[in-house]
Amino acid sequence: MTIVYDRTKTVVRRHVAPGEAVPLHPEAVGFAGHYDFDIDVLAAYRPQGKGRVERQVLIVRDHVLSGRAFSSVEEMDAAFAAWVPQRRAQIHKTHREVIGHRAARDHAALKPLPPTPFWVAERHLRPVGKDCLVAFGGNLYSVPARKVRPRQLVEIRATKSQVMLHCTVADSSGETLLATHPRAVGRGVRVVEEQHWDGLPTGKGRRTTTGDVLPRPRHERPLGEETGPLQALLNRAAATRVEVGRRPLSVYDELTGTRPFTTNRATKESS
């Protein structure tokens, strides 16, 4: 019903002060829910809560390995198999019961395993590029262009051998899986399925030129045939068709009541 964990990183996301709720890793919570048991996190600096689990390593070393030499792994395994019945016939020093009898009762109390195992995977969020490629681990993996949009976030679930890309929102049928690829080895690898690029612009409608017909020099073009980018902008601007009135500067002098040019000339003559 319950499994005690010693505050390992795969179970505890971060350490907190005594008395506060311990934040658990989402994968550990999913694992416990799949196999139907509760997680009990051991208190910090309390080795008594672990019982004699780590003691088993010393027991095997002292009773099987110490003072003996083995010529192969098979010989060592045979020595261990011969020692196990002796160990199971002993009385345990904690619960004071025969180890073999207690083990049989414990095994009978265990629940059956679910029909499907729990899928353990790394989980990351990554944006989709304009070329429908998602970066992960220094490599690129494709997703269907018709099911995603640029800069959309997708969830990566990666195992040692596979990379599965899921949409964060399920479709009408409740499915989130977009693509499954074998995990690339190394870095700089593109793992692409060609049909994933169906729906992307191909560039066939783009205007191109071979460069055989060169534009005429500027001095040979007739007036009004300027085709530069600035001229094309001015031709499209409505401001070029507005008539602007022109008047001499003397009009502004009369409006302000000053004659700056006459005053300066008289000043120079008097000086």
Side-chain angles (χ1 to χ4, degrees), residues 248-267:
L249 294 177
S250 59
V251 176
Y252 296 98
D253 296 336
E254 294 177 358
L255 291 176
T256 56
T258 59
R259 307 284 295 199
F261 299 103
T262 306
T263 305
N264 291 340
R265 186 181 304 169
T267 305

Side-chain angles (χ1 to χ4, degrees), residues 34-252:
H34 182 82
Y35 290 103
D36 193 19
F37 68 89
D38 295 329
I39 296 177
D40 184 10
V41 180
L42 188 65
Y45 305 106
R46 187 173 177 80
Q48 298 86 352
K50 291 184 289 186
R52 297 180 179 270
V53 176
E54 296 180 358
R55 175 65 179 163
Q56 304 303 316
V57 179
L58 300 179
I59 292 176
V60 173
R61 187 179 65 184
D62 295 340
H63 291 79
V64 181
L65 303 179
S66 295
R68 304 177 66 178
F70 303 97
S71 60
S72 64
V73 177
E74 291 76 12
E75 183 180 352
M76 182 174 62
D77 290 341
F80 178 78
W83 170 79
V84 168
Q86 303 176 18
R87 176 62 180 172
R88 292 172 66 89
Q90 296 177 358
I91 297 178
H92 199 277
K93 296 181 180 179
T94 299
H95 49 69
R96 309 303 301 176
E97 297 183 38
V98 177
I99 296 176
H101 298 169
R102 176 63 180 265
R105 189 170 72 252
D106 290 346
H107 290 168
L110 293 177
K111 301 178 182 178
L113 293 175
T116 58
F118 182 77
W119 193 269
V120 180
E122 301 178 54
R123 297 174 186 263
H124 306 275
L125 288 177
R126 293 289 188 274
V128 179
K130 294 182 179 179
D131 49 4
C132 292
L133 296 179
V134 181
F136 170 69
N139 303 305
L140 297 174
Y141 301 88
S142 64
V143 290
R146 299 186 183 275
K147 294 185 179 181
V148 296
R149 63 182 185 277
R151 307 306 301 171
Q152 174 183 339
L153 288 178
V154 296
E155 183 185 19
I156 296 177
R157 302 177 188 177
T159 65
K160 291 183 178 180
S161 59
Q162 280 188 329
V163 173
M164 295 158 288
L165 298 105
H166 289 258
C167 186
T168 56
V169 180
D171 56 13
S172 57
S173 61
E175 183 64 32
T176 61
L177 181 63
L178 296 172
T180 301
H181 299 285
R183 187 161 185 172
V185 179
R187 302 177 67 87
V189 181
R190 286 193 176 193
V191 184
V192 178
E193 292 186 19
E194 295 296 335
Q195 59 268 27
H196 285 174
W197 281 344
D198 294 343
L200 288 178
T202 60
K204 294 182 178 179
R206 192 176 302 157
R207 299 195 327 180
T208 59
T209 179
T210 60
D212 298 334
V213 181
L214 299 177
R216 288 184 295 176
R218 184 182 298 272
H219 65 274
E220 295 182 3
R221 301 175 190 171
L223 186 63
E225 197 182 335
E226 295 292 337
T227 58
L230 180 59
Q231 186 63 35
L233 178 63
L234 293 176
N235 291 339
R236 292 195 303 268
T240 59
R241 297 188 292 272
V242 177
E243 296 184 1
V244 180
R246 299 177 180 277
R247 60 179 68 179
L249 294 177
S250 59
V251 176
Y252 296 98

